[in-house]
Amino acid sequence: MIVKHAEFIKSATRPTHYPEESLPEIAFAGRSNVGKSSLINVLVNRKSLVRTSNTPGRTQLINFFRINDAFTFVDLPGYGFAKVPLAVKKEWGPMMQTYLSRRSNLRGVVLILDIRRIPSEEDLQMLQWLRACGIPPLIVVTKCDKLSRNQRAKQAAVIARQIGVETGDLCLFSALTREGLDGVWGRIELLLHEGQGIV
Ligand code: GTP
Ligand code: MG
């Protein structure tokens, strides 16, 4: 995929503020600090289209980006960070469920997991929601630069078992080295064109 044009459209919390549903859409979900924004920036080959941070939980809004005037990418608010205020945590579930259940142009959700962590309850819940809404998930296991090849294979097997998929269904990725970039794009293109994923 050659990205010629990528622009921020708007941020929203509720459906009346979402942009129109005219273009196919791919959303990115995962715990705070897992690397959602970094993945989007590498995919669109822009250093800072999406703000990244060392402070987990910075993105509390649903952020929409138009790519090549052909589809939209959505950076969803991260979950699972202990220091996020309770009021914000309470809003997260309904905000996410509303988005996932109502967004008719949503073709798939990229669920991002950290190669060094066992998927959390919230990661599993997100997968459940996607399955319940019939939204194809694409699992990207990121920060793989942090582990040796040997450790990666072991962790990938643990993660795959925990979420009930085959190891081959996982896309291993690093925003630092850009490893796995073509694989992630290939699967996103499949979702955009055919609505295929692993369910
Ligand atoms: P929130 O918006 O707060 O939920 O976080 P996020 O999921 O968008 O994470 P973000 O992309 O901001 O990345 C968090 C931190 O992880 C930053 O310091 C990134 O530089 C770092 N990071 C992201 N991806 C990678 C990766 O593949 N490898 C390494 N080594 N660091 C990464
Ligand atoms: Mg972010």
Side-chain angles (χ1 to χ4, degrees):
M1 172 72 67
I2 297 166
V3 174
K4 290 193 176 141
H5 195 77
E7 68 176 322
F8 171 70
I9 312 170
K10 69 191 301 197
S11 297
T13 54
R14 62 184 66 148
T16 48
H17 296 156
Y18 298 167
E20 330 176 3
E21 294 170 303
S22 49
L23 297 175
E25 190 156 287
I26 300 287
F28 295 76
R31 63 180 295 128
S32 288
N33 216 36
V34 72
K36 295 176 293 301
S37 305
S38 301
L39 169 61
I40 297 174
N41 284 331
V42 171
L43 283 169
V44 303
N45 201 19
R46 293 265 295 267
K47 273 212 173 72
S48 54
L49 176 70
V50 190
R51 202 172 55 168
T52 60
S53 73
N54 289 315
T55 320
R58 282 284 284 277
T59 317
Q60 306 287 356
L61 301 165
I62 301 175
N63 291 310
F64 295 85
F65 301 86
R66 189 182 298 123
I67 315 296
N68 286 353
D69 288 322
F71 53 91
T72 43
F73 273 177
V74 175
D75 193 15
L76 293 169
Y79 46 81
F81 186 61
K83 283 186 189 153
V84 170
L86 194 61
V88 172
K89 275 191 187 168
K90 277 189 183 156
E91 282 166 22
W92 179 84
M95 180 163 68
M96 207 58 56
Q97 277 184 305
T98 303
Y99 172 79
L100 295 174
S101 62
R102 294 212 203 155
R103 194 72 175 151
S104 64
N105 57 333
L106 183 60
R107 297 288 173 83
V109 170
V110 181
L111 178 64
I112 301 144
L113 302 171
D114 187 321
I115 186 99
R116 299 162 302 171
R117 286 172 173 269
I118 293 182
S120 67
E121 276 303 313
E122 286 143 314
D123 292 321
L124 297 174
Q125 185 184 58
M126 177 58 74
L127 267 178
Q128 270 307 112
W129 284 346
L130 297 179
R131 284 173 179 144
C133 295
I135 301 164
L138 166 55
I139 314 291
V140 171
V141 181
T142 194
K143 303 197 185 182
C144 69
D145 57 277
K146 301 256 191 194
L147 297 184
S148 69
R149 301 243 158 225
N150 238 337
Q151 289 172 310
R152 275 181 209 185
K154 275 186 200 149
Q155 269 303 107
V158 170
I159 291 170
R161 197 176 324 122
Q162 172 84 358
I163 61 176
V165 302
E166 301 291 326
T167 315
D169 292 331
L170 307 176
C171 280
L172 267 56
F173 175 79
S174 163
L176 200 71
T177 65
R178 298 173 153 244
E179 259 181 280
L181 178 58
D182 291 347
V184 178
W185 258 130
R187 300 217 194 178
I188 289 177
E189 283 178 56
L190 276 181
L191 290 172
L192 285 171
H193 296 133
E194 296 164 35
Q196 285 178 4
I198 46 153
V199 182

